[in-house]
Amino acid sequence: MTAAEKKRADRGNDDKHNDDDDINISNRNNNDSSSSSSSSSSSSSSSSSSSNYEPANRGQPVPARPRFRQAAAVSDFFQQESALARIIAGLAPVLEIKTLPEPDWLPEEAPRIFHAGVGLVEECFDEYLDSVAPYLNSRNISLFSCDLGPAAVRRSGCVPVSPPLPPEKLKAVMAAAVRKIRAVFRGPLALENYNFYPTGLYEHVCEPGFIGETLGEGGLGLVLDLAHAAVTAHNKNVSLTDYLGGLPLGAVAEIHLSRPETPPSPAACGPDDYDPPRGLFLGDAGDPELRRRHNLAWDAHECPGEEELGLLSLALGMLPPSVLPPFLVVEYYRGPGRLAGVLRRLDVMSRPAAPPEPPGPGR
């Protein structure tokens, strides 16, 4: 750390700085290797231990794989190179590209994933795919993802402007879109769960059963957006834990984390408020008064706090052991200082629990 950086770090922890300049990324644990079991005939206790680590030279255990791999969403903040942008890229060394062209200062060697800004069902998807295909083929993209839905081919914000499609038609449209993606991109594909609002645009596509069938039939991964799941559970008046448990968690390839706006009271939309062809008009940014009137949760993309970190821990604990460490993207775009602080905490969370020490002599 330079003297200038030390001076800035000592000024305090307000939102502008928030420990931005004294973040130490040199000791990041980024070991993505998975442990393997020993095939030797040993006692049952040794066999149990081998699932967590594999004995190495001189009896030292091999560290277990991380719980997740942090990825930085390349937002407007990244358009200009800065010391803080480089710190964030260091804490989340995988880059999630959302818009093109990408900033020219980004490190060439950094792994990249790509998240499309449109849903599979939207009528503009084919044109969008054509526009990004050259980029996908010019980079070693580790994962391509987009939204699972919506329920109509044309939309205005959160409201359909064409009739919502029935489930089987939705599946057929999405299957055709997946075939088009695979014609231009050979890497892994994943779809993101939407958040449910009672507008008609999210019928069927937020149901766990429909999500599981769609992913299973297409051999696709899941981008688990925890804020979307929380919004859906609230707006449908169901338990968040039950909702998460119904999703195909064995397919999770990526997790999105942010803080939604969630009222303390249950959602209250009666039959007179909901006309599927018209929907509740929430608009592009949402109508705060309408949301308050009906106690609707909203995908606010605020900075994750303790509750969201707890939800992340819960979700990670629900993943089957066979799931590889997913990418984790914090979808908060307004305060890079606060974002850096969250990423530093997540860096600690990502580290696996220390494996048990092997028995010593005479034990």
Side-chain angles (χ1 to χ4, degrees), residues 25 30 81 86 89-90 92-95 97 102-113 135 138-142 327:
I25 63 173
N30 195 31
E81 182 178 8
R86 287 198 170 275
V94 177
L95 301 174
I97 307 300
E102 66 173 51
D104 57 11
W105 71 268
L106 295 179
E108 288 289 325
E109 69 279 5
R112 284 160 168 77
I113 57 180
Y135 173 84
S138 68
R139 293 283 186 178
N140 185 21
I141 303 296
S142 301
F327 297 107

Side-chain angles (χ1 to χ4, degrees), residues 108-232:
E108 288 289 325
E109 69 279 5
R112 284 160 168 77
I113 57 180
F114 191 94
H115 186 67
V118 297
L120 281 182
V121 177
E122 295 184 69
E123 64 178 357
C124 61
F125 185 81
D126 288 357
E127 181 179 353
Y128 174 85
L129 182 62
D130 290 341
S131 70
V132 301
Y135 173 84
L136 298 177
N137 291 321
S138 68
R139 293 283 186 178
N140 185 21
I141 303 296
S142 301
L143 179 70
F144 178 91
S145 62
C146 52
D147 296 333
L148 196 158
V153 298
R154 292 191 298 277
R155 63 188 291 180
S156 175
C158 298
V159 177
V161 294
S162 64
L165 302 176
E168 293 308 314
K169 179 63 175 177
L170 282 171
K171 288 183 182 179
V173 172
M174 286 192 279
V178 167
R179 288 194 294 270
K180 291 174 182 175
I181 298 172
R182 288 197 163 128
V184 300
F185 176 70
R186 298 299 182 182
L189 306 180
L191 301 182
E192 179 180 2
N193 59 299
Y194 264 118
N195 37 215
F196 176 81
Y197 304 121
T199 67
L201 189 64
Y202 305 96
E203 301 304 302
H204 314 300
V205 298
C206 295
E207 297 296 331
F210 182 88
I211 293 172
E213 291 172 4
T214 301
L215 299 185
E217 292 168 5
L220 305 166
L222 172 65
V223 177
L224 175 60
D225 191 307
L226 291 174
H228 288 184
V231 168
T232 295

